[in-house]
Amino acid sequence: MHHLNISIISTCSFASSHSTRMALYLFCCLFAITLIFMQTLADTSCTDCFIHSRAAYYPNSEEHGTDVGACGFGSFGATVNGGDVSAASSLYRNGVGCGACYQVRCTNSAYCSENGVTAVITDQGSSDNTDFILSKHAFSRMAQTTDAAASLLALGVVDIEYRRVACSYPSKNITFKIDESSNNPYYLAFVIWYQQGKRDITAVQLCETKNLVCKLLDRSHGAVWTSASPPSGPLSIRMLFSDEEEGEETWVVPVNNIPEDWKGGETYDSGVQVNQ
């Protein structure tokens, strides 16, 4: 690209008069700079490019993640995705990053596989300038072999590269887990399980199904949404899926409602999948 720009400028210098030559030369310089700028913009706006960073692992994770993660998933956050989960630092994004999936691969060719591992964010944390603190299970899966996995674990912290990828749970619908702290009809708190696709859930509405009155909920912490005075009757939980890179937003309306007699600790299938 830059060689082409130099060739354009050189060609432009062969004009017949001094004034024409100068004007054409300036035009060609501006054209070349524009090409370089457009190429640089294309390089920096790549949404599927890998980003270099570092990763560690939970030393006491017993191969899975933690069941007291900041996202509020509980035991689900330790075992979802086969235990390939992670805490994140900046990618946590005040809870918006909870449930997002990332392809993470270490860069030491002596130990590391080409594909690495796909990990789900279920907690917040950092260690030694890391973006990820993986479960032992996920950390080991970046390796080529069992012996290589032991070598990676012995290192503790490794250089990696990562990128956002779509979450996929083919046999699961998005599911609402009512938090045990909920008290029908006075207080409702819940988390969203099996968040599919590559977009974030940035807002949630709680709607009465009888008169279709909706209100926006507060994100209490992590992936926990709350209402101090939930409506009576069956409820519809609507989710706004957002893609900052593409500037797209879509409200998703579940097929199934939360029953009027909802209880803390129960799970309710939404009846929908979102694979975008």
Side-chain angles (χ1 to χ4, degrees):
M1 175 65 74
H2 293 184
H3 175 73
L4 174 62
N5 296 338
I6 294 171
S7 299
I8 292 172
I9 295 172
S10 299
T11 303
C12 288
S13 63
F14 291 100
S16 57
S17 68
H18 176 74
S19 58
T20 302
R21 192 162 58 240
M22 180 60 68
L24 187 57
Y25 181 79
L26 290 174
F27 169 79
C28 290
C29 286
L30 289 173
F31 181 71
I33 291 171
T34 301
L35 288 178
I36 295 172
F37 173 77
M38 294 300 293
Q39 181 65 35
T40 302
L41 184 63
D43 291 341
T44 57
S45 63
C46 176
T47 57
D48 291 324
C49 292
F50 283 94
I51 300 170
H52 294 280
S53 185
R54 288 161 61 82
Y57 66 91
Y58 287 101
N60 58 345
S61 61
E62 298 179 355
E63 293 197 348
H64 293 138
T66 175
D67 58 3
V68 291
C71 288
F73 289 132
S75 59
F76 173 83
T79 58
V80 65
N81 194 40
D84 291 335
V85 297
S86 181
S89 51
S90 62
L91 297 174
Y92 178 76
R93 293 178 290 145
N94 294 319
V96 176
C98 291
C101 292
Y102 291 88
Q103 181 184 0
V104 184
R105 61 188 189 187
C106 52
T107 58
N108 188 327
S109 59
Y111 305 129
C112 304
S113 66
E114 181 179 350
N115 293 326
V117 64
T118 297
V120 182
I121 302 302
T122 61
D123 194 10
Q124 180 184 25
S126 62
S127 172
D128 196 14
N129 296 318
T130 63
D131 273 309
F132 296 89
I133 303 179
L134 298 162
S135 65
K136 275 189 177 180
H137 190 266
F139 198 87
S140 299
R141 278 171 54 83
M142 294 191 295
Q144 300 172 12
T145 64
T146 302
D147 289 341
S151 298
L152 282 182
L153 290 170
L155 291 173
V157 180
V158 295
D159 293 327
I160 61 153
E161 52 188 15
Y162 70 90
R163 64 180 175 182
R164 179 84 179 263
V165 294
C167 298
S168 179
Y169 306 103
S171 62
K172 301 291 185 180
N173 293 326
I174 291 176
T175 299
F176 305 113
K177 164 66 186 301
I178 308 300
D179 191 79
E180 286 77 1
S181 65
S182 298
N183 183 17
N184 192 350
Y186 305 106
Y187 176 73
L188 173 63
F190 62 90
V191 294
I192 299 171
W193 288 2
Y194 304 116
Q195 176 182 333
Q196 297 132 336
K198 199 177 175 180
R199 295 190 287 175
D200 299 318
I201 298 176
T202 55
V204 171
Q205 286 183 334
L206 185 64
C207 303
E208 298 179 46
T209 57
K210 293 180 181 179
N211 53 21
L212 299 180
V213 174
C214 300
K215 68 174 183 177
L216 284 171
L217 299 187
D218 297 322
R219 185 190 295 272
S220 171
H221 65 278
V224 181
W225 300 87
T226 62
S227 173
S229 55
S232 59
L235 303 174
S236 176
I237 298 175
R238 303 182 181 187
M239 301 157 285
L240 181 64
F241 282 78
S242 304
D243 186 335
E244 290 186 1
E245 297 290 342
E246 301 294 333
E248 297 179 354
E249 293 186 332
T250 304
W251 281 101
V252 173
V253 180
V255 174
N256 301 327
N257 295 324
I258 305 297
E260 182 175 5
D261 61 346
W262 55 264
K263 296 178 178 65
E266 295 293 318
T267 57
Y268 299 100
D269 190 323
S270 71
V272 295
Q273 291 187 357
V274 179
N275 296 316
Q276 297 177 339

